[in-house]
Amino acid sequence: MKQIYLDYASTTPVEEGVVKKMTDFMSFDGNFGNPASRSHSFGWKADEAVEEARNNLATLIGCDPREIIWTSGATESDNLAIKGAARFYKNKGNHLVTSKIEHKAVLDPFRQLEEEGFEVTYLEPNSSGEITVEQVAEAVTDKTILVSLMHMNNELGTITDIDSIGELTRSKGIILHVDAAQSIGKISINMSSNKIDLLSISAHKFYGPKGVGALFVRRKPRVRLEPLFHGGGHERGFRSGTLATHQIVGLGEAARIAHQQMDDDLRKLENLKRIFWDEVKDIEEIYVNGDSKNKFPGILNISFNFVEGESLIMALKSIAVSSGSACTSASLEPSYVLRALGRKDELAHSSIRFSFGRYTTEQDVKETALLVKSSVERLREISPLWEMYQDGVDLDKIEWA
Amino acid sequence: MAYSQKVVDKFEETLNNPEKASVGRWKPGDEDFHRVGTGIVGAPACGDVMKLQIKCQNIDGENRIVDARFKTYGCGSAIASSGQLIDMLKGKTLEEAQAISNQEIVDILELPAIKIHCSVLAEEAIHRAIDDFKSLRNND
């Protein structure tokens, strides 16, 4: 059966041209040298490729190439930024601020820091899924040393106003870390005009390979970090370990393409989203999660009331999507992001995230929309909750066993 | 979540031909409604609700389940578990039905450990439906 991939927020395929470039940096006939080897051409050529990649990424985000540190991905970047900054500046204060809708790669390091004696404020999003600069202003104290917020939410596609938040944190001398794993290469960001101090980047979210990412570390004003890895002092001592040339080259090439294609990609996604939404919007009792004005068109998260998300995914078996339903995860808890929005648990259980990307066609979204409509209808046919709703029973008033 | 082929088959069977899979309901006013016991278990907030109805008939002095219907809101294995339960109920006496254990459903559907609660829900549903049926008879 032909599968339609609508899970681009989870990961993206690597562009063919990127794959080709990567394989040029692995074998004996290719450029396999260690970029840290200073004594021969194998090393020099590898180093040249790594620096070209650094330039490409720097161009994409508008920074100085020297502000980019290669890592193994956004999880490592988040860990290095959050733990590294908190531990380095711990003598300045012990208060940290983040939000409840961050990725686990951010929340978990904060939990670890709490163990180490730091105090963390977890901001709640508003019902549209946004964290506002006003909330940050209210949360920070003279003990706050770090604020960490995501640029684009992975489940909702909502976009945080990091420019305004950066002005605030800079004026108070607080470090701002932004997890931009979802946004880089998809929407524009300009590090030369914003006041973000640390920025996490992942290659596989923008058509690069898995296993590589980067951390932007601002030079002016200089941000310092306690490294996670100790060793050969690579990457200006922030991240020891031999550079994965082929991975970095892949990220760099993906960044170069993203820079060229971003406007076209966005226009295409707007169109796909419109086509999809036009088809599904008339389904009764559906709720868009994260209904913010400032939102990425490639992610659409919808709760289909009275239908459980995992069963809907099973019914949509030719479509690859993901769900906020507990039943797709090992935890049996529905999405903490949707709950943080104030969505009732049953709506969190009923949510599906559709994420579109560079290879998605109009035909794909039309087919998906039709299948969604018929599957929701069929699952409601077997749903006792739908039956009660149709009978006019108020489900909130029932005492469930 | 990797399901066994049996869960997938049962789920699809139910979705593709709900009537044949005994999806449906009896409601007040239906003929014989006084012989229908209903059990509703689970909660929307927990992600699954199962509604089971059994229609019983006294045959040779014993109450037997002559027909059953269900509706389920839940994950694929919750829907498959309800369908499996229905298959096991028809023709059984209330006593036999009462003795059905969730483990039988787990075994037949090869449910993964994390989905065992779906089978437990099915076991609770039949107990509730039987209790409801018995309370109806007492009210006669």
Side-chain angles (χ1 to χ4, degrees), chain A residues 306-308 310-311 314-315 317 327 330 345-346 349-350 378-379 381-385 387-388 391 400-401, chain B residues 3 11-12 15-16 23 25 40 42-47 49 51 71-76 79 114-115 128:
Chain A
F306 315 119
V307 171
E308 200 279 329
E310 194 231 62
S311 66
M314 256 176 103
K317 65 176 178 179
C327 291
D345 277 2
E346 48 262 53
H349 279 293
S350 300
R378 290 194 299 164
L379 283 162
E381 206 51 50
I382 69 172
S383 165
L385 303 182
E387 178 184 288
M388 291 175 192
D391 287 349
W400 297 97
Chain B
Y3 278 135
F11 173 79
E12 290 184 349
L15 207 59
N16 294 337
V23 172
R25 67 158 155 176
I40 301 179
C46 302
V49 175
K51 179 185 170 194
K71 285 200 180 183
T72 294
Y73 159 85
C75 61
I79 289 169
I114 192 150
K115 296 293 182 179
R128 285 283 172 91

Side-chain angles (χ1 to χ4, degrees), chain A residues 360-376:
Chain A
T360 310
T361 66
E362 291 188 8
Q363 185 60 28
D364 288 342
V365 296
K366 279 183 198 158
E367 257 177 59
T368 303
L370 289 178
L371 197 56
V372 166
K373 269 200 276 195
S374 70
S375 301
V376 167

